[in-house]
Amino acid sequence: TCFVNYNNPGIGEAARAVLAHNGVETEVVYPQCCGMPQLEGGNLAAVAAAAKSVSAALGPWIDKGYDIIALVPSCALMLKFEWPLIVPNDPAIEKLSKATSDISEYIVALSKDKGLAPGLGPLEGGVTLHIACHARAQNVGQKAAEMLRLVPDSEIKVIERCSGHGGSWGVMKENFDTAIKIGRPVARQALSNKQAFLASECPLAGLHIAQGMELMAKGEQAPGRSFHPIELFARAYGIAAEGAPTGR
């Protein structure tokens, strides 16, 4: 995804580390953006062009037996559901849709089908986990929560409500105050949970919640940042990147 490649490569590094630890071979293939920002802006022609280009690039990897994993729910939603609606009856796009999983969904399936490698340790202080809207839209259940509950002796408190960010809308300066107001109930609940870690599969939602918590803290201690659940899963394995920041 754009965010992982250019802003927070730690998400991708954690995903590859966890998969390697569990015997899964990975390759990084990123033809271009999934087009979610263009979809939100109503530019369907650009989204259709991206769908055709990316599905053509990823098709040979699927033919070689690779699964396709998206690290951010927005991207998984596009590949799984939005592209086949925008460009219907395209064999390459339909093949890609069937081969795509969200990273949390993939880890949960791996745990059920083959079992996970041993060595998971507790996430001390617990986790407040925000379920991203685009993860909910995939209609596969709370896979991030299922994944983190595989970590022993770790309290996972789930928040399933809009963060207020609203995709590309929330990055606009003129929308900031409204976005913070909409996200206030989530920030308030996350603060009251008093967990050591804040996590969301949507990096933008996580940043937004953390910022809202800081604005509301008033002397209370708030997490300095939000993590992607796969980053915490890597941490539970003891394979977090050296120097990675802690929860509080």
Side-chain angles (χ1 to χ4, degrees), residues 11-211:
I11 297 173
E13 291 166 357
R16 296 195 77 191
V18 169
L19 290 169
H21 193 67
N22 282 277
V24 179
E25 176 187 331
T26 60
E27 295 285 347
V28 177
V29 183
Y30 177 70
Q32 67 185 86
C33 175
C34 70
M36 174 64 80
Q38 287 74 29
L39 178 63
E40 292 173 339
N43 190 347
L44 295 184
V47 179
K52 292 178 180 180
S53 174
V54 173
S55 61
L58 295 180
W61 292 95
I62 299 171
D63 292 340
K64 287 190 284 188
Y66 283 82
D67 300 314
I68 306 301
I69 298 175
L71 300 180
V72 175
S74 298
C75 303
L77 183 67
M78 292 294 285
L79 273 62
K80 286 182 178 181
F81 299 112
E82 300 294 352
W83 284 359
L85 292 174
I86 293 169
V87 188
N89 304 316
D90 184 298
I93 291 173
E94 290 178 357
K95 180 170 69 174
L96 176 58
S97 171
K98 294 175 182 177
T100 298
S101 297
D102 184 279
I103 180 62
S104 300
E105 178 187 11
Y106 192 85
I107 295 296
V108 170
L110 187 65
S111 73
K112 293 178 179 178
D113 294 343
K114 298 183 179 179
L116 295 179
L120 286 167
L123 292 164
E124 299 291 346
V127 180
T128 287
L129 171 66
H130 169 256
I131 304 297
C133 296
H134 287 163
R136 293 159 58 189
Q138 293 179 50
N139 198 30
V140 295
Q142 296 181 349
K143 294 303 179 185
E146 288 185 53
M147 182 181 75
L148 288 180
R149 286 180 179 133
L150 296 170
V151 179
D153 303 319
S154 301
E155 184 178 35
I156 311 299
K157 293 187 176 182
V158 171
I159 300 176
E160 189 170 356
R161 182 168 181 162
C162 177
S163 71
H165 192 275
S168 55
W169 182 87
V171 302
M172 304 299 179
K173 182 178 179 180
E174 60 270 23
N175 299 332
F176 177 75
D177 290 342
T178 301
I180 286 292
K181 182 178 179 180
I182 294 171
R184 194 171 292 148
V186 174
R188 184 181 297 113
Q189 185 177 345
L191 270 176
S192 67
N193 285 347
K194 299 186 184 301
Q195 302 292 78
F197 297 98
L198 171 68
S200 177
E201 289 174 285
C202 175
L204 293 177
L207 285 169
H208 189 69
I209 295 167
Q211 191 167 22

